[in-house]
Amino acid sequence: MRIANIDGRLTIVATTDHGIDVERASGGRFAAEPTAVFDRWDEFSEWAAGLEDIAAEVELRPDRIGAPSPTPRQIFAVGLNYRAHADESGFSIPDSPVVFTKYQSALTGPNTTVRLPSGGHTDWETELVVVVGRKASAVSEDDAWGHVAGLTIGQDLSERITQRSGPAPQFGLGKSFAGFAPTGPWIVTPDEFADPDDLGLGCSINGVEMQDGRTSSFIFGVPRLISYLSSIVTLLPGDLIFTGTPSGVGMGRDPQVWLKPGDELVTWIEGIGELRQSFVA
């Protein structure tokens, strides 16, 4: 199953260009607001599995698609989760997940125009994003996938000057400028993948490939991240976990490269789709 946010309404993706409005199809049983469904994920999944002969009347135009979980209560992000990215960043391989947060105000849908901070060094980071579907506290790795609603794509856009400012790193601020957390285009449930632990992902800028990796290269896979995070905090339905980026970011290049006005960034993950960001001054 794939679910999307179309004009702020929860929609099941039925074909490549049309979907089913959930509130209308369920006779009001489920609300239109996309994030509300995660608190009733088991009930919703059972209902959706039994849908028959429902007309897919919602047009899935790119300009109508919003963030699939638009108001998560928590957004976690994991750094240095690929060995090659840790190497290019000049860090040793971590012994446990390196976790920071992005702020909800940075969250957007998949097709956006992003204003670059003046005088900054804005970088790209392609990431698989986990959407939590069930409340998780002290979850074992064996049970972790059972707490996942689905997977989507994210860009952890990062303003490196702000990120490095001050006596301690400012990860949360440097990665939370307006528009710095595009996600989408929809959430894909784990059963849709042959192997949800091994997905290709990458990005290009103006048609030139910048990143190309596989999630099977994670240092800490999705089950480990959910188990680790839930041992410390309670994960809530609709929460997002950005799982880290492969090598190929601008900061790791020689010379370093930053996003500039006029650039188009296309981000993709196998079996999910793509994001498109354009940048202005």
Side-chain angles (χ1 to χ4, degrees):
M1 178 172 61
R2 296 170 180 241
I3 62 169
N5 169 2
I6 307 299
D7 293 337
R9 297 182 65 85
L10 180 65
T11 303
I12 295 174
V13 178
T15 68
T16 56
D17 54 7
H18 284 85
I20 298 167
D21 185 283
V22 169
E23 184 184 43
R24 296 190 186 108
S26 69
R29 177 178 173 183
F30 299 101
E33 199 284 308
T35 305
V37 75
F38 300 111
D39 281 322
R40 301 171 62 189
W41 186 251
D42 290 334
E43 181 186 355
F44 169 73
S45 297
E46 182 178 357
W47 170 82
L51 278 179
E52 294 182 3
D53 301 323
I54 301 294
E57 299 178 339
V58 180
E59 188 178 358
L60 305 180
R61 293 200 319 265
D63 62 316
R64 300 181 67 185
I65 304 175
S69 180
T71 53
R73 285 166 282 193
Q74 303 177 107
I75 303 175
F76 301 94
V78 179
L80 308 177
N81 202 20
Y82 292 79
R83 286 175 173 80
H85 177 56
D87 290 342
E88 72 177 353
S89 302
F91 291 97
S92 58
I93 304 302
D95 295 324
S96 59
V98 177
V99 181
F100 56 94
T101 58
K102 288 172 77 78
Y103 300 121
Q104 189 187 114
S105 60
L107 197 64
T108 69
N111 305 291
T112 59
T113 297
V114 180
R115 188 174 302 279
L116 294 168
S118 178
H121 288 166
T122 301
D123 208 342
W124 58 89
E125 294 194 8
T126 300
E127 309 216 5
L128 178 73
V129 177
V130 174
V131 184
V132 177
R134 297 177 182 90
K135 185 176 180 180
S137 179
V139 171
S140 70
E141 291 187 41
D142 288 343
D143 293 334
W145 274 112
H147 289 75
V148 174
L151 304 174
T152 193
I153 309 171
Q155 260 292 342
D156 178 24
L157 294 172
S158 305
E159 206 306 284
R160 302 299 190 189
I161 293 176
T162 302
Q163 179 183 327
R164 295 168 168 175
S165 65
Q170 299 276 356
F171 277 74
L173 290 179
K175 292 168 173 280
S176 293
F177 283 82
F180 270 35
T183 57
W186 28 68
I187 295 166
V188 183
T189 54
D191 60 290
E192 292 285 324
F193 302 97
D195 183 356
D197 290 303
D198 182 23
L199 303 177
L201 74 168
C203 71
S204 63
I205 297 176
N206 305 326
V208 178
E209 182 181 281
M210 293 295 172
Q211 292 183 285
D212 185 18
R214 299 200 69 84
T215 61
S216 54
S217 298
F218 280 150
I219 297 171
F220 306 104
V222 170
R224 173 69 175 129
L225 294 177
I226 291 174
S227 179
Y228 177 77
L229 286 168
S230 71
S231 73
I232 300 170
V233 300
T234 298
L235 301 178
L236 303 172
D239 284 355
L240 304 181
I241 305 171
F242 283 67
T243 58
T245 195
S247 61
V249 300
M251 182 179 65
R253 295 172 180 267
D254 186 14
Q256 293 178 328
V257 179
W258 313 113
L259 289 162
K260 61 185 186 301
D263 282 346
E264 182 185 51
L265 173 64
V266 178
T267 307
W268 59 272
I269 295 183
E270 176 184 11
I272 303 178
E274 64 180 30
L275 313 177
R276 286 183 176 269
Q277 272 62 57
S278 58
F279 295 87
V280 297

